[in-house]
Coordinates of all heavy atoms in Angstrom, one line a residue:
A204 N 104.6 97.7 70.1 CA 103.7 98.8 70.4 C 103.4 99.5 69.0 O 104.2 99.5 68.1 CB 104.3 99.8 71.4
L205 N 102.2 100.2 69.0 CA 101.8 101.0 67.8 C 102.2 102.4 68.1 O 102.5 102.8 69.2 CB 100.3 100.8 67.5 CG 99.8 99.4 67.3 CD1 98.4 99.4 66.8 CD2 100.7 98.6 66.4
M206 N 102.1 103.3 67.1 CA 102.4 104.7 67.3 C 101.4 105.5 66.4 O 100.8 105.0 65.4 CB 103.8 105.1 66.8 CG 104.1 104.8 65.4 SD 105.7 105.3 64.9 CE 105.5 107.1 64.8
I207 N 101.2 106.8 66.8 CA 100.3 107.7 66.0 C 101.2 108.7 65.3 O 102.1 109.3 65.9 CB 99.3 108.4 67.0 CG1 98.4 107.3 67.6 CG2 98.6 109.5 66.3 CD1 97.5 107.9 68.7
T208 N 101.0 108.8 64.0 CA 101.8 109.7 63.2 C 101.2 111.1 63.1 O 100.0 111.3 63.6 CB 101.9 109.2 61.7 OG1 100.6 109.4 61.1 CG2 102.3 107.7 61.7
D209 N 101.9 112.0 62.5 CA 101.4 113.4 62.4 C 100.2 113.6 61.5 O 99.8 114.7 61.3 CB 102.6 114.4 62.1 CG 103.2 114.1 60.7 OD1 102.7 113.2 60.0 OD2 104.2 114.8 60.4
E210 N 99.8 112.5 60.9 CA 98.5 112.6 60.1 C 97.3 112.6 61.0 O 96.2 112.8 60.5 CB 98.5 111.4 59.1 CG 99.5 111.4 58.0 CD 99.6 110.1 57.2 OE1 98.7 109.9 56.4 OE2 100.5 109.3 57.5
C211 N 97.5 112.3 62.3 CA 96.4 112.4 63.2 C 95.6 113.7 63.1 O 96.2 114.7 63.1 CB 96.9 112.1 64.6 SG 95.7 112.4 65.9
I212 N 94.3 113.6 63.1 CA 93.4 114.8 63.0 C 92.8 115.1 64.4 O 91.8 115.9 64.4 CB 92.4 114.6 61.9 CG1 91.5 113.4 62.2 CG2 93.0 114.6 60.5 CD1 90.2 113.3 61.2
N213 N 93.3 114.5 65.4 CA 92.8 114.8 66.8 C 91.2 114.6 66.9 O 90.6 115.4 67.5 CB 93.2 116.2 67.2 CG 94.7 116.3 67.4 OD1 95.4 115.3 67.7 ND2 95.2 117.5 67.2
C214 N 90.8 113.5 66.3 CA 89.3 113.3 66.3 C 88.8 112.7 67.6 O 87.6 112.6 67.9 CB 88.9 112.4 65.2 SG 89.3 110.6 65.5
D215 N 89.7 112.3 68.5 CA 89.4 111.8 69.9 C 88.7 110.4 70.0 O 88.4 110.0 71.1 CB 88.4 112.8 70.6 CG 88.9 114.2 70.6 OD1 90.1 114.5 70.6 OD2 88.0 115.1 70.6
V216 N 88.5 109.7 68.9 CA 87.7 108.5 69.0 C 88.6 107.3 69.5 O 88.0 106.4 70.1 CB 87.0 108.1 67.7 CG1 86.1 109.2 67.2 CG2 88.0 107.7 66.6
C217 N 89.9 107.3 69.3 CA 90.7 106.2 69.7 C 90.9 106.1 71.2 O 91.0 105.0 71.8 CB 92.0 106.1 69.0 SG 93.0 107.6 69.3
E218 N 91.1 107.3 71.8 CA 91.6 107.3 73.2 C 90.7 106.5 74.2 O 91.1 105.7 74.9 CB 91.7 108.8 73.7 CG 92.3 109.0 75.0 CD 91.3 109.0 76.2 OE1 90.1 109.3 75.9 OE2 91.7 108.7 77.3
P219 N 89.3 106.7 74.1 CA 88.5 105.9 75.0 C 88.4 104.4 74.6 O 87.9 103.6 75.5 CB 87.1 106.6 74.9 CG 87.1 107.3 73.6 CD 88.5 107.7 73.3
E220 N 88.8 104.0 73.4 CA 88.7 102.6 73.0 C 89.9 101.8 73.5 O 89.9 100.5 73.5 CB 88.7 102.5 71.5 CG 87.5 103.1 70.9 CD 86.2 102.5 71.3 OE1 86.1 101.3 71.6 OE2 85.2 103.3 71.5
C221 N 91.0 102.4 74.0 CA 92.2 101.7 74.4 C 92.0 101.0 75.7 O 91.7 101.6 76.7 CB 93.4 102.6 74.5 SG 94.9 101.7 75.0
P222 N 92.1 99.6 75.8 CA 91.9 98.9 77.0 C 93.0 99.1 78.0 O 92.9 98.7 79.2 CB 91.8 97.5 76.6 CG 92.7 97.4 75.4 CD 92.5 98.7 74.7
N223 N 94.1 99.7 77.6 CA 95.3 99.9 78.5 C 95.6 101.3 78.8 O 96.7 101.6 79.4 CB 96.6 99.3 77.8 CG 96.5 97.8 77.6 OD1 96.0 97.1 78.5 ND2 96.9 97.3 76.5
Q224 N 94.7 102.2 78.5 CA 94.9 103.6 78.8 C 96.3 104.1 78.3 O 97.1 104.8 78.9 CB 94.8 104.0 80.3 CG 93.4 103.9 80.8 CD 93.0 102.4 81.1 OE1 93.7 101.7 81.7 NE2 91.8 102.0 80.6
A225 N 96.6 103.6 77.0 CA 98.0 103.9 76.5 C 97.9 105.2 75.6 O 99.0 105.7 75.2 CB 98.4 102.7 75.6
I226 N 96.7 105.7 75.3 CA 96.6 106.8 74.4 C 96.3 108.1 75.2 O 95.5 108.1 76.0 CB 95.5 106.6 73.4 CG1 95.8 105.3 72.6 CG2 95.4 107.8 72.4 CD1 94.7 104.9 71.6
S227 N 97.1 109.2 74.8 CA 96.8 110.4 75.5 C 97.1 111.6 74.5 O 97.8 111.3 73.5 CB 97.7 110.6 76.7 OG 99.0 110.6 76.4
M228 N 96.6 112.7 74.8 CA 96.9 113.9 73.9 C 98.4 114.3 74.1 O 98.8 114.5 75.2 CB 95.9 115.0 74.2 CG 96.0 116.2 73.3 SD 95.6 115.7 71.6 CE 96.3 117.1 70.7
G229 N 99.1 114.5 73.0 CA 100.4 115.0 73.1 C 100.5 116.5 72.8 O 99.5 117.2 72.9
A230 N 101.6 117.0 72.5 CA 101.8 118.4 72.2 C 100.9 118.9 71.1 O 100.3 120.0 71.1 CB 103.3 118.8 72.0
D231 N 100.9 118.1 70.0 CA 100.2 118.6 68.8 C 99.1 117.6 68.3 O 98.1 118.0 67.7 CB 101.2 118.8 67.6 CG 102.1 119.9 67.9 OD1 101.7 121.0 68.3 OD2 103.3 119.7 67.7
Y232 N 99.3 116.3 68.7 CA 98.3 115.3 68.3 C 98.4 114.1 69.3 O 99.3 114.1 70.2 CB 98.5 114.8 66.8 CG 99.9 114.4 66.5 CD1 100.4 113.1 66.6 CD2 100.8 115.4 66.0 CE1 101.7 112.8 66.3 CE2 102.1 115.0 65.6 CZ 102.5 113.7 65.8 OH 103.8 113.4 65.5
Y233 N 97.5 113.2 69.1 CA 97.5 112.1 70.1 C 98.8 111.2 70.0 O 99.5 111.2 69.0 CB 96.3 111.2 69.9 CG 95.1 111.8 70.6 CD1 94.3 112.8 70.0 CD2 94.7 111.3 71.9 CE1 93.2 113.3 70.6 CE2 93.6 111.9 72.5 CZ 92.8 112.9 71.9 OH 91.8 113.4 72.5
Q234 N 99.1 110.6 71.1 CA 100.3 109.7 71.2 C 100.0 108.5 72.0 O 99.0 108.4 72.7 CB 101.4 110.5 71.9 CG 101.1 110.9 73.4 CD 102.0 111.8 74.1 OE1 103.0 112.3 73.5 NE2 101.8 112.1 75.4
I235 N 100.9 107.4 71.7 CA 100.7 106.1 72.4 C 102.0 105.9 73.2 O 103.1 106.0 72.8 CB 100.6 105.0 71.4 CG1 99.2 105.2 70.6 CG2 100.7 103.6 72.0 CD1 99.0 104.2 69.5
D236 N 101.7 105.5 74.5 CA 102.8 105.2 75.4 C 103.2 103.7 75.1 O 102.5 102.8 75.4 CB 102.3 105.3 76.9 CG 103.4 104.9 77.9 OD1 104.5 104.4 77.5 OD2 103.1 105.0 79.1
P237 N 104.4 103.5 74.6 CA 104.8 102.1 74.2 C 104.9 101.2 75.4 O 104.8 100.0 75.2 CB 106.2 102.3 73.5 CG 106.6 103.7 73.8 CD 105.5 104.5 74.2
A238 N 105.1 101.7 76.6 CA 105.1 100.9 77.8 C 103.7 100.3 78.1 O 103.6 99.3 78.9 CB 105.7 101.7 78.9
R239 N 102.7 100.9 77.6 CA 101.3 100.5 77.9 C 100.6 99.8 76.7 O 99.5 99.2 76.9 CB 100.5 101.7 78.4 CG 101.0 102.3 79.8 CD 99.9 103.2 80.4 NE 98.8 102.4 80.8 CZ 98.7 101.8 82.0 NH1 99.6 101.9 82.9 NH2 97.6 101.1 82.3
C240 N 101.1 100.0 75.5 CA 100.4 99.4 74.4 C 100.8 98.0 74.1 O 102.0 97.7 73.9 CB 100.8 100.2 73.1 SG 100.1 99.5 71.6
T241 N 99.9 97.1 74.3 CA 100.1 95.6 74.0 C 99.6 95.3 72.6 O 99.5 94.1 72.3 CB 99.3 94.8 75.0 OG1 97.9 95.0 74.8 CG2 99.7 95.1 76.4
E242 N 99.3 96.3 71.7 CA 98.7 96.1 70.4 C 97.4 95.3 70.6 O 96.9 94.6 69.7 CB 99.7 95.3 69.5 CG 101.0 96.1 69.3 CD 102.0 95.5 68.4 OE1 101.6 94.6 67.6 OE2 103.2 95.9 68.4
C243 N 96.8 95.5 71.8 CA 95.5 94.9 72.2 C 95.6 93.4 72.6 O 94.6 92.8 72.9 CB 94.4 95.2 71.3 SG 93.8 97.0 71.5
V244 N 96.8 92.9 72.5 CA 97.0 91.5 72.9 C 96.5 91.3 74.4 O 96.9 92.1 75.2 CB 98.5 91.0 72.7 CG1 98.7 89.7 73.4 CG2 98.8 90.9 71.3
G245 N 95.8 90.3 74.6 CA 95.2 90.0 76.0 C 93.8 90.6 76.1 O 93.1 90.1 77.0
H246 N 93.4 91.5 75.2 CA 92.1 92.1 75.3 C 91.2 91.8 74.1 O 90.1 91.5 74.2 CB 92.2 93.6 75.5 CG 92.7 94.1 76.8 ND1 92.0 94.1 78.0 CD2 94.0 94.5 77.2 CE1 92.7 94.5 79.0 NE2 93.9 94.8 78.5
F247 N 91.8 92.0 72.9 CA 91.0 91.9 71.7 C 91.9 91.3 70.6 O 93.1 91.3 70.6 CB 90.6 93.3 71.2 CG 89.7 94.1 72.1 CD1 90.3 95.1 72.9 CD2 88.4 93.8 72.2 CE1 89.4 95.8 73.8 CE2 87.6 94.5 73.1 CZ 88.1 95.5 73.9
D248 N 91.2 90.8 69.6 CA 91.9 90.1 68.4 C 92.6 91.2 67.5 O 93.6 90.9 66.9 CB 91.0 89.3 67.6 CG 90.5 88.1 68.3 OD1 91.2 87.6 69.2 OD2 89.4 87.5 67.9
E249 N 92.1 92.4 67.5 CA 92.6 93.4 66.6 C 92.8 94.7 67.5 O 92.1 95.0 68.4 CB 91.6 93.8 65.5 CG 91.2 92.6 64.6 CD 92.4 92.2 63.7 OE1 93.3 93.1 63.4 OE2 92.4 91.1 63.2
P250 N 93.9 95.5 67.1 CA 94.1 96.7 67.8 C 92.8 97.6 67.6 O 92.4 98.0 66.5 CB 95.3 97.3 67.0 CG 96.0 96.2 66.5 CD 94.9 95.2 66.1
Q251 N 92.3 98.0 68.8 CA 91.0 98.8 68.7 C 91.2 100.2 68.2 O 90.3 100.7 67.5 CB 90.4 98.8 70.2 CG 90.1 97.5 70.7 CD 89.0 96.8 69.9 OE1 87.9 97.1 69.9 NE2 89.5 95.7 69.2
C252 N 92.3 100.8 68.4 CA 92.6 102.2 67.9 C 92.6 102.1 66.4 O 92.1 103.0 65.7 CB 93.8 102.8 68.5 SG 95.3 101.7 68.3
V253 N 93.3 101.1 65.8 CA 93.4 101.0 64.4 C 92.0 100.8 63.8 O 91.6 101.4 62.7 CB 94.3 99.8 64.0 CG1 94.3 99.6 62.5 CG2 95.7 100.1 64.5
Q254 N 91.1 100.0 64.5 CA 89.8 99.8 64.0 C 88.9 101.0 63.9 O 88.1 101.2 62.9 CB 89.0 98.8 65.0 CG 89.7 97.5 65.2 CD 89.4 96.5 64.0 OE1 88.2 96.3 63.7 NE2 90.4 96.0 63.4
V255 N 89.1 102.0 64.8 CA 88.3 103.2 64.8 C 88.9 104.4 64.1 O 88.2 105.3 63.8 CB 87.8 103.6 66.2 CG1 87.1 102.4 66.9 CG2 89.0 104.0 67.1
C256 N 90.2 104.4 63.9 CA 90.8 105.6 63.3 C 90.4 105.9 61.9 O 90.5 105.0 61.0 CB 92.4 105.4 63.3 SG 93.2 106.9 62.7
P257 N 89.8 107.1 61.6 CA 89.3 107.4 60.3 C 90.3 107.7 59.3 O 90.0 107.7 58.1 CB 88.4 108.6 60.6 CG 89.0 109.3 61.7 CD 89.6 108.2 62.6
V258 N 91.6 107.9 59.7 CA 92.6 108.3 58.7 C 93.8 107.3 58.7 O 94.8 107.6 58.0 CB 93.1 109.8 59.0 CG1 92.0 110.8 58.8 CG2 93.8 109.9 60.4
A259 N 93.7 106.2 59.3 CA 94.7 105.1 59.3 C 96.1 105.6 59.5 O 97.0 105.4 58.7 CB 94.6 104.4 57.9
C260 N 96.2 106.3 60.7 CA 97.6 106.9 61.0 C 98.2 106.2 62.2 O 99.0 106.8 62.9 CB 97.4 108.4 61.3 SG 96.5 108.8 62.8
I261 N 97.9 104.9 62.4 CA 98.5 104.2 63.6 C 99.2 102.9 63.1 O 98.7 101.8 63.2 CB 97.3 103.8 64.6 CG1 96.4 105.0 64.8 CG2 97.9 103.4 65.9 CD1 95.3 104.8 65.8
P262 N 100.5 103.1 62.7 CA 101.3 101.9 62.3 C 102.0 101.3 63.5 O 102.0 101.9 64.6 CB 102.3 102.5 61.3 CG 102.5 103.9 61.9 CD 101.2 104.3 62.5
V263 N 102.7 100.2 63.3 CA 103.6 99.7 64.3 C 104.8 100.7 64.5 O 105.3 101.3 63.6 CB 104.2 98.3 63.9 CG1 105.3 97.9 64.8 CG2 103.1 97.3 63.8
N264 N 105.1 100.9 65.8 CA 106.2 101.8 66.1 C 107.5 101.1 65.8 O 107.9 100.0 66.4 CB 106.2 102.1 67.6 CG 107.2 103.2 68.0 OD1 108.2 103.3 67.4 ND2 106.8 103.9 69.1
P265 N 108.3 101.6 64.8 CA 109.5 100.8 64.4 C 110.6 100.8 65.5 O 111.4 99.9 65.5 CB 110.1 101.7 63.2 CG 109.4 103.0 63.3 CD 108.1 102.8 64.0
A266 N 110.5 101.6 66.5 CA 111.4 101.6 67.7 C 110.9 100.6 68.7 O 111.7 100.3 69.7 CB 111.5 103.0 68.3
H267 N 109.7 100.0 68.5 CA 109.2 99.1 69.5 C 108.5 97.9 68.8 O 107.3 97.7 69.1 CB 108.2 99.8 70.5 CG 108.8 100.9 71.3 ND1 109.5 100.6 72.5 CD2 109.0 102.2 71.1 CE1 110.0 101.8 73.0 NE2 109.7 102.8 72.1
V268 N 109.2 97.2 68.0 CA 108.7 96.0 67.3 C 108.7 94.9 68.4 O 109.8 94.7 68.9 CB 109.5 95.7 66.1 CG1 109.0 94.4 65.5 CG2 109.4 96.8 65.1
E269 N 107.6 94.2 68.6 CA 107.5 93.2 69.7 C 106.9 92.0 69.2 O 106.0 92.0 68.3 CB 106.7 93.8 70.9 CG 107.4 95.0 71.5 CD 106.4 95.8 72.4 OE1 105.7 96.7 71.8 OE2 106.4 95.6 73.6
T270 N 107.2 90.8 69.8 CA 106.6 89.6 69.5 C 105.3 89.5 70.3 O 105.0 90.2 71.2 CB 107.5 88.4 70.0 OG1 107.6 88.4 71.4 CG2 108.9 88.4 69.4
R271 N 104.4 88.5 69.8 CA 103.2 88.3 70.5 C 103.4 87.8 71.9 O 102.7 88.3 72.8 CB 102.4 87.2 69.7 CG 101.0 87.1 70.2 CD 100.1 86.2 69.4 NE 98.8 86.2 70.0 CZ 97.8 87.1 69.8 NH1 98.0 88.0 68.9 NH2 96.7 87.0 70.4
E272 N 104.5 87.0 72.1 CA 104.8 86.6 73.5 C 105.2 87.8 74.4 O 104.8 87.9 75.5 CB 105.9 85.6 73.5 CG 105.6 84.2 72.9 CD 105.3 84.3 71.4 OE1 105.9 85.1 70.7 OE2 104.5 83.4 70.9
G273 N 106.0 88.7 73.8 CA 106.4 89.9 74.5 C 105.2 90.8 74.9 O 105.2 91.3 76.0
L274 N 104.3 90.9 73.9 CA 103.1 91.7 74.2 C 102.2 91.1 75.2 O 101.7 91.8 76.1 CB 102.4 91.9 72.9 CG 103.1 92.7 71.8 CD1 102.4 92.5 70.4 CD2 103.1 94.2 72.2
M275 N 102.1 89.7 75.2 CA 101.3 89.1 76.3 C 102.0 89.2 77.6 O 101.3 89.5 78.6 CB 101.2 87.6 75.9 CG 100.4 86.8 76.9 SD 98.7 87.4 77.2 CE 97.9 86.8 75.7
A276 N 103.3 89.2 77.7 CA 104.0 89.4 79.0 C 103.8 90.8 79.5 O 103.6 91.0 80.7 CB 105.5 89.2 78.8
K277 N 103.7 91.8 78.6 CA 103.4 93.2 79.0 C 102.0 93.3 79.5 O 101.8 93.9 80.5 CB 103.6 94.1 77.8 CG 103.5 95.6 78.1 CD 103.4 96.5 76.9 CE 104.6 96.4 76.0 NZ 104.6 97.3 74.9
Y278 N 101.1 92.6 78.8 CA 99.7 92.6 79.2 C 99.6 92.1 80.7 O 98.9 92.7 81.5 CB 98.8 91.7 78.3 CG 97.5 91.3 78.9 CD1 96.4 92.2 79.0 CD2 97.3 90.0 79.3 CE1 95.2 91.8 79.5 CE2 96.1 89.6 79.8 CZ 95.1 90.4 79.9 OH 93.9 90.1 80.5
L279 N 100.3 91.0 81.0 CA 100.2 90.4 82.3 C 100.8 91.3 83.3 O 100.3 91.4 84.5 CB 100.9 89.0 82.3 CG 100.2 87.9 81.5 CD1 101.1 86.7 81.3 CD2 98.8 87.6 82.1
R280 N 101.9 92.0 83.0 CA 102.6 93.0 83.9 C 101.6 94.1 84.2 O 101.4 94.5 85.4 CB 103.8 93.5 83.3 CG 105.1 92.6 83.4 CD 106.4 93.4 83.2 NE 106.4 94.2 81.9 CZ 106.7 93.7 80.7 NH1 107.1 92.4 80.6 NH2 106.8 94.5 79.7
L281 N 100.9 94.6 83.2 CA 100.0 95.7 83.4 C 98.8 95.3 84.2 O 98.3 96.0 85.1 CB 99.5 96.2 82.0 CG 100.5 97.0 81.2 CD1 99.9 97.2 79.8 CD2 100.8 98.3 81.8
Q282 N 98.3 94.0 84.1 CA 97.2 93.5 84.9 C 97.6 93.5 86.3 O 96.9 93.8 87.2 CB 96.8 92.1 84.4 CG 96.2 92.1 83.0 CD 94.9 93.0 82.9 OE1 94.9 94.0 82.2 NE2 93.9 92.6 83.6
Q283 N 98.9 93.0 86.6 CA 99.4 92.9 88.0 C 99.5 94.2 88.6 O 99.2 94.4 89.8 CB 100.7 92.1 88.0 CG 100.5 90.6 87.8 CD 101.8 89.9 87.9 OE1 102.9 90.5 87.8 NE2 101.8 88.6 88.0
A284 N 100.0 95.2 87.8 CA 100.2 96.5 88.3 C 98.9 97.2 88.6 O 98.8 98.2 89.3 CB 101.0 97.4 87.3
G285 N 97.8 96.7 88.0 CA 96.5 97.3 88.2 C 96.4 98.5 87.3 O 95.8 99.5 87.7
Ligands
SF4_537 FE1 95.7 100.8 73.0 FE2 95.4 98.6 71.6 FE3 95.8 100.9 70.4 FE4 97.8 99.8 71.8 S1 96.8 98.9 69.9 S2 97.2 101.9 71.8 S3 96.7 98.8 73.5 S4 94.0 100.4 71.6
SF4_538 FE1 94.2 110.6 65.7 FE2 93.3 108.4 64.5 FE3 93.1 108.7 67.2 FE4 91.5 110.1 65.7 S1 91.5 107.9 65.9 S2 92.7 110.9 67.4 S3 92.9 110.6 63.9 S4 95.0 108.6 66.0

């Protein structure tokens, strides 16, 4: 999963681009739910939030480093859950 750092300027452009509804407003800036972020695996070749973020504040979450296979399995679980 990816994460949003405190460099986020709350510009709102990433939230609607996420195919997994993983992005929401947090207490001070936007946040990513690691249970819903597949790094866009299953939907797109590149993470859509990273593509649109104007300040490049969306790195891999060091607490949630995942393999491509693991991310694909998460994508399939999310699809089944609807
Ligand atoms: Fe959503 Fe993709 Fe960004 Fe993860 S990488 S938060 S799935 S847009
Ligand atoms: Fe924050 Fe980047 Fe998302 Fe804008 S695109 S709300 S700066 S994480």
Side-chain angles (χ1 to χ4, degrees):
L205 305 188
M206 63 176 285
I207 294 172
T208 73
D209 63 6
E210 291 169 78
C211 172
I212 57 171
N213 295 331
C214 74
D215 308 326
V216 302
C217 59
E218 188 269 337
E220 298 300 325
C221 179
N223 293 321
Q224 291 79 49
I226 302 174
S227 62
M228 188 61 199
D231 297 313
Y232 50 90
Y233 277 84
Q234 61 188 6
I235 293 174
D236 178 357
R239 296 195 67 86
C240 175
T241 65
E242 301 180 20
C243 284
V244 168
H246 291 283
F247 299 102
D248 289 339
E249 300 288 338
Q251 298 300 289
C252 54
V253 174
Q254 299 281 307
V255 299
C256 182
V258 296
C260 68
I261 315 181
V263 171
N264 187 332
H267 297 276
V268 176
E269 296 161 276
T270 64
R271 191 173 179 86
E272 289 71 28
L274 292 165
M275 181 56 78
K277 187 192 299 185
Y278 162 75
L279 293 171
R280 282 198 305 276
L281 288 169
Q282 293 300 111
Q283 283 181 346

